[in-house]
Every structure is written in C-alpha cells, then in structure tokens.
Amino acid sequence: MVKHMTKHFFNANNFIIIFTILFAILFSMLFTPHAKANSLNATVDRQNIEMGDVFTLVIQADFATSSSPDFSELEQLFEILGQQRSSQISIINGVSQVHVRWDLRLTPKIEGKLTIPAFELSGVKSQPINMSIEPFNLNKTGKGLSFLESEISTNTPYVQQEVIYTLRFFHRGLLVRDNISPPIFDNAISQPLGNQVTYETKIDGFLYRVFEWKWAFYPQQSGEQILEPQTFIGQIRYNGKIIRIKNHSQPLQLNIKPIPDSFPKNQIWLPARNIVLAEEWQHDNSPRIGDSITRIMQIQAEGLQASQLPQLSLEPQANFQHYADQPILENKASKKGFISQLTQKIAIVPTQAGNLTLPKYQLIWWNVITDEMVKEELDAYSLTILDSLNKANIELNQAENPIPAIAKTENDTIPIPTKNNWLWQGLVILLAIAMLLSLLAWLKCRKTLAKLTEKPSKQILKVEPKSSSLDKLASIAAEFEKADQDLQQQLAKQFYSQLNSWLQEQANRAELEKAILLPLEKIKSSLFNQTDLTANDLTDCHKLLVENLHSSKQKDKEDKKNKLDPLYGGT
C-alpha cells in the first residue's frame, strides 16, 4: 500500500507541479527587495582642470532628507558659482525609492592638489574626491586672456586741477559675467566723464574687446596720494569652456602741487587748460535815466567745473544801480575733460544823466599747460546817458508855454468847507475800517495758504525711502547747522562724499543730478572755497532728492496702472 502511494506521488504529472511551485518560490525570493543601507555619493565631471575652469560636482542621496550638506569647508578651496537641489521619487512593484540630488558649479580658488571633502547627511558619509588644479597659461600671448589697466592724465597736478582717470578692461572670447565697482577718489571731487565706451583692438596679433570708463577728479589737498588698484571679476567663454577671471589694475601715484606763491592771494584759484571771457551789451542807441541796460558776461573754461568759476559782478557807482540774475552754470563732457560755462546777466539802471563808464573786468587764472599765470580782461565800456523822457517833455512844455503869474491880494484865502464836515469824515473812517478788515482777512488767508503749502512737503519727506545713505545725508545736514566753521567744512565733505557714493548706485544718476543742480553746485563751490555754505543748501539738496524719488515712484505706479494687459496672454 505504501509502495503504491509513493509511486503515485512521484509520477510525471506530480513532478511537474512540484517543480513549478519550487521555481516560483525561488523566483519570488530572487526579486523580492531586501533592506539596503543608505548611501551618499559625490562625483565630478573632471578631476584635472586649470585655474579658471568651471566644473560640476554632483552629490546624490538615495534616501529622503530635508537637510543639505555643509559646504563651508568646500568654499575654502572652491567658489560656488551656482547650486541646485532636486528630488525624485520612483515606485517599482509597489516599492518607493527616493533620490535627492545637489548640482554645484565650482571653480578653484587656488592651484595645486586639492581635495573635495567628504559630505555627511543623517549619519551617512560620501567619499572625498582628489582634484588636480593646474595654472592657466595662454602661451600664445603675454597679455593673457584678459587684463585691466588704468592711467591718469597727469601725475603732478596742482590742487583742484582736473585729472582724468581712465580704466580699460581687455578680454578675448565671450564675456559671460562681469562685476566692477567705480573707483573711489579720497579727498577729491569726482564726476563720471561720459558713458561707457566699447571698441576692439589688436594686441600681439590677437583681437581684444575693450570696455573703457573715464572719470574727472579734482584733488582738494596737496601732497602725495595713491590711487588704489581696481578689480574686475567675471567669467569668459573661451575655446568651449567657461573660465573665471579676476584682474587687477596697477596702483597710481600722484604728487599734488600746492597753489604757486606767485599767484595773488586775493584771487580765486583757477587751474585750467584754457579760459575765455566774453560779454554782450543790450540797450537803446540813446539810453536815458531809468532805462534798463543789460550786460551779459560769460566765462568758458576747459578743465574746470562750473562750480569753480567765480560769479561775475560790478563795482557799485553813484550814477547807476545794478541787479544781477542767478548765474547759469553748465558742464559739458569732452574727450579731454569737462568744459564749463558760467553766464551772468546784469541789469544796469542809470540814475544820472551824463557820461557813464563801466570799468574793465579782469580775471586771473593759471594755465596748467604752460604752467604760468594768465590775465583775461574785458575792456571798459562808456555810454552817454540822457535825461528821462518825462523830464525832457516837461521842460520843453514849460519853455514853450510859460505859466502866467497870478497876482495875490491880501484877501486871498483858501476856502475851507464848514458844512457837512461830518459826512466826509464818516466816509474816511468807514474806508479805513474796510481797509483794516481787508488786511486782517488777507493775513488769515496767507496763514492758511502757508499751512496748505507746508503739508505736501512734510508728507513727501515722510515718504523718504528706507536708505541708510539718504538718512545719513539728513543727519549730516542737521548736524551742520549746529557746528562751528571748521567742523562745517568737514561735514560738507562728508555730505558730498556720501551723496556721490549714493548717486553712483542709482541708474537714473543724470536725472537726479539735474534735479539737485543748484544745491549741488553750491556744495561743490563751497568745497572749492568759492562761496559760503548754509545748512539750507544741504537740506534743500536732500529734500529735492526725496521729492524726485517720490515723483519717480508715483510715475512708475501710474505707468503700471495705465499699462494694458496683453490680449492673448503673451508678453
């Protein structure tokens, strides 16, 4: 019986069934996922690179994490130009798998054998990576792939003389990214000279693209001065790879000369390349007493700011009065420097008939090209002034029609009204009361208008942008009013330096400088020791800046509000 059952169990059909079951068990065991240890891998696309090369570091974790690796040790050897994190979740046969990845674009900071450190996340570490960094060497030219150079128009200027600072950046290949800051001129007034210029030039047979910037600055102190090197940082695509560059210009030394002893102490110091004086007269052919005679005087200077030019005036005389308009100041940039112009309009009103002679005008300046003192003069101007037309007509009428004398008797008296005196006296009193009430009403309206006009300005000052530089300007202006004369000069320099630094950061610098032209020129003129400065000049400058920024923001809001949306969702 047992033998029969054994035979039946191990027949061919049963054997196939058993084999199929065993095979299914083995197959399921083979492909069933087992618990696997977490891993963190780091890889690079290149291990042997040159200085300036950009390579990619990839860090990948096969487990979920909300943390990121610590890159502080990595940043000591490499600059991180960009990084990106991504996550991926995959589900296979109902089992989920998570991958977290970090992609970093790096460039080396130093040469030699470097090691990318191991990274750690959730107790899991990656392996360190060895790197070989070779120096970048462009053997075909000694100038290299890029370089930065600077120069000045003169190394031995006089104090307050214009010096032109030129900065040029040369590069081959395609400039991908750039960063350069404007130079800082200590103890000097500075002004950008035109816009950026771009051109191409060949050096050692290789074509370079050139970016050129120019500034005009005016040293305020004599002695030695060093202009610090400038730095250009960027990236260039060259021969199919992106190369990080960092170039420095050379430092420049100046020996600033004081005002020469031969220059008159009572004259305003004007170091220039050239100065031209001109004038124009506007009057009738036969001017009379009370007529307006206009004298337009003009100074044009090469190598000076308009704020350095002296205001033109006339010496007062007994036979005329004169009234001067606000001078018109202009600055124009040229390749050699600034050309400034001051135009002064003076109205002269004769008060006596006869010969009127206006004395000559003399201007003394220093020619920095020939290194000598020069005198410019406007000749004396003479006019014959006639009596006023009304007086002449009266005298002529009296000569032609003399007034007959009236004989006066002893009984001649002036009649005095005796009746109805109370009527005209009452009218006079009523008229006086009406005038008094009108005056009181006018004063009340004036106060109301003054309050109304004050409110907008206060409101504008409250809209002042959150800018530490503008806050600093307001603080300096407030401190200036309470300071003594020596401290005021230092505060004026601080105000101008702070203002100039803030303006350099603004995209609409030209528009802002135009808005604050008058107070800005007063500040410059004070720094050139031409005129005295008041706290109101600083306050006005700050107030105009705030108002201009406020109006610009309002205009931007209105433009955005009035802008129509695209019809089909396009941009």
Side-chain angles (χ1 to χ4, degrees):
M1 182 70 180
V2 175
K3 288 181 181 180
H4 175 73
M5 288 181 63
T6 304
K7 262 185 191 181
H8 181 73
F9 184 78
F10 285 104
N11 62 22
N13 291 334
N14 289 340
F15 180 79
I16 293 173
I17 294 172
I18 293 171
F19 180 81
T20 302
I21 294 172
L22 291 174
F23 182 79
I25 294 172
L26 291 173
F27 185 83
S28 63
M29 292 176 63
L30 181 65
F31 289 95
T32 299
H34 296 278
K36 186 169 109 178
N38 294 336
S39 64
L40 184 66
N41 297 315
T43 58
V44 293
D45 56 350
R46 289 175 296 158
Q47 287 183 268
N48 298 313
I49 60 174
E50 293 181 346
M51 279 297 295
D53 281 357
V54 178
F55 66 100
T56 302
L57 168 66
V58 177
I59 305 169
Q60 184 166 307
D62 61 357
F63 53 90
T65 178
S66 59
S67 303
S68 294
D70 182 8
F71 298 129
S72 58
E73 190 176 349
L74 177 71
E75 288 181 296
Q76 296 178 8
L77 303 174
F78 301 89
E79 181 180 354
I80 301 177
L81 303 178
Q83 59 176 302
Q84 182 179 5
R85 172 176 171 154
S86 60
S87 300
Q88 181 182 2
I89 301 175
S90 58
I91 301 176
I92 302 175
N93 295 329
V95 179
S96 63
Q97 181 69 44
V98 178
H99 294 282
V100 185
R101 171 172 168 155
W102 292 264
D103 291 80
L104 288 83
R105 296 173 65 249
L106 306 174
T107 185
K109 293 182 177 180
I110 56 177
E111 303 170 3
K113 303 294 183 181
L114 307 180
T115 300
I116 294 177
F119 302 100
E120 183 176 358
L121 275 177
S122 302
V124 182
K125 283 188 176 183
S126 67
Q127 294 296 320
I129 302 173
N130 295 322
M131 301 287 297
S132 177
I133 315 299
E134 300 294 332
F136 177 76
N137 185 16
L138 195 62
N139 297 322
K140 296 181 180 179
T141 173
K143 285 291 186 181
L145 187 62
S146 64
F147 60 96
L148 190 66
E149 69 175 22
S150 59
E151 64 180 23
I152 50 179
S153 56
T154 176
N155 294 89
T156 56
Y158 283 101
V159 63
Q160 296 185 355
Q161 177 184 338
E162 182 180 76
V163 182
I164 307 301
Y165 178 90
T166 305
L167 186 65
R168 299 186 188 93
F169 171 66
F170 298 75
H171 76 88
R172 294 165 60 184
L174 179 64
L175 186 63
V176 178
R177 179 182 172 192
D178 61 271
N179 181 20
I180 188 169
S181 300
I184 297 175
F185 305 98
D186 294 329
N187 296 319
I189 292 175
S190 62
Q191 187 79 15
L193 190 60
N195 298 321
Q196 172 185 286
V197 178
T198 307
Y199 56 92
E200 292 182 338
T201 185
K202 273 194 173 184
I203 302 176
D204 297 336
F206 294 92
L207 187 65
Y208 283 84
R209 188 167 181 80
V210 185
F211 292 88
E212 182 178 284
W213 305 271
K214 287 191 176 187
W215 290 266
F217 71 97
Y218 307 82
Q220 297 298 296
Q221 291 182 0
S222 59
E224 292 187 356
Q225 183 177 341
I226 302 293
L227 297 180
E228 298 297 331
Q230 295 301 115
T231 302
F232 186 97
I233 301 175
Q235 295 178 20
I236 289 178
R237 187 185 299 278
Y238 186 77
N239 285 346
K241 60 182 180 180
I242 295 179
I243 299 172
R244 180 180 178 272
I245 57 171
K246 188 174 184 179
N247 302 119
H248 302 279
S249 65
Q250 64 276 25
L252 300 173
Q253 184 171 356
L254 291 89
N255 184 17
I256 304 166
K257 297 181 289 187
I259 300 174
D261 295 334
S262 59
F263 195 82
K265 304 296 182 184
N266 61 342
Q267 295 291 322
I268 293 175
W269 170 241
L270 298 172
R273 296 190 299 273
N274 188 33
I275 287 184
V276 176
L277 268 181
E279 69 175 354
E280 178 186 350
W281 291 90
Q282 296 176 356
H283 58 80
D284 295 335
N285 293 331
S286 301
R288 298 178 178 274
I289 294 176
D291 288 353
S292 178
I293 300 170
T294 302
R295 186 183 192 183
I296 302 174
M297 305 172 70
Q298 190 177 84
I299 305 178
Q300 189 176 81
E302 296 180 17
L304 291 175
Q305 289 279 306
S307 53
Q308 292 177 264
L309 301 178
Q311 293 191 11
L312 304 172
S313 60
L314 292 177
E315 294 182 4
Q317 295 185 21
N319 54 353
F320 71 85
Q321 294 179 349
H322 68 282
Y323 310 92
D325 290 350
Q326 187 74 20
I328 300 173
L329 305 177
E330 295 180 73
N331 287 316
K332 296 180 181 178
S334 69
K335 292 182 179 180
K336 294 183 179 180
F338 276 99
I339 299 175
S340 60
Q341 183 172 286
L342 182 145
T343 303
Q344 181 75 67
K345 193 174 183 180
I346 303 174
I348 302 169
V349 181
T351 57
Q352 296 179 13
N355 186 41
L356 173 62
T357 300
L358 298 170
K360 66 181 181 181
Y361 180 84
Q362 187 180 77
L363 181 69
I364 299 176
W365 61 284
W366 193 269
N367 191 319
V368 296
I369 297 177
T370 60
D371 202 20
E372 60 182 358
M373 186 172 63
V374 182
K375 293 182 181 179
E376 296 287 338
E377 290 185 351
L378 294 175
D379 295 333
Y381 193 77
S382 297
L383 287 167
T384 300
I385 307 300
L386 303 178
D387 282 332
S388 63
L389 194 59
N390 291 337
K391 182 179 179 182
N393 289 338
I394 291 171
E395 291 177 352
L396 182 62
N397 290 333
Q398 287 178 351
E400 293 178 352
N401 303 303
I403 300 173
I406 300 175
K408 186 177 180 183
T409 64
E410 294 180 358
N411 295 328
D412 290 338
T413 57
I414 300 174
I416 300 175
T418 56
K419 296 181 179 181
N420 298 329
N421 284 353
W422 61 272
L423 181 61
W424 67 267
Q425 289 176 352
L427 290 174
V428 170
I429 293 172
L430 288 175
L431 182 61
I433 293 173
M435 291 179 64
L436 182 61
L437 291 175
S438 299
L439 178 61
L440 293 174
W442 177 78
L443 290 174
K444 186 176 180 181
C445 290
R446 186 181 178 186
K447 289 181 180 179
T448 306
L449 287 174
K451 290 181 180 179
L452 290 174
T453 53
E454 284 175 4
K455 286 181 180 179
S457 62
K458 290 181 180 178
Q459 186 177 1
I460 289 172
L461 287 173
K462 289 179 182 178
V463 189
E464 179 176 335
K466 296 180 180 179
S467 168
S468 59
S469 297
L470 287 180
D471 292 343
K472 183 67 175 177
L473 291 179
S475 175
I476 295 174
E479 191 176 350
F480 183 91
E481 190 173 5
K482 305 173 185 177
D484 56 25
Q485 189 172 0
D486 293 337
L487 183 57
Q488 282 184 345
Q489 187 70 11
Q490 297 178 13
L491 291 173
K493 289 181 180 179
Q494 290 180 20
F495 188 93
Y496 177 78
S497 177
Q498 193 77 18
L499 173 63
N500 199 36
S501 299
W502 184 82
L503 286 173
Q504 286 180 347
E505 299 172 358
Q506 308 307 310
N508 58 337
R509 172 171 181 159
E511 181 183 341
L512 291 170
E513 286 184 341
K514 187 177 180 181
I516 60 171
L517 179 62
L518 286 179
L520 179 60
E521 291 299 326
K522 286 183 180 180
I523 295 169
K524 287 186 187 178
S525 184
S526 171
L527 296 178
F528 283 121
N529 297 319
Q530 303 283 47
T531 58
D532 293 331
L533 194 65
T534 66
N536 288 337
D537 296 327
L538 303 184
T539 305
D540 290 346
C541 185
H542 174 263
K543 183 179 177 181
L544 286 171
L545 279 177
V546 176
E547 288 178 350
N548 190 271
L549 289 174
H550 176 77
S551 60
S552 297
K553 286 185 177 181
Q554 289 293 107
K555 185 179 178 182
D556 291 342
K557 288 181 181 178
E558 290 177 2
D559 291 343
K560 290 180 181 178
K561 184 178 180 181
N562 297 331
K563 186 177 179 181
L564 295 175
D565 294 331
L567 289 176
Y568 302 105
T571 56

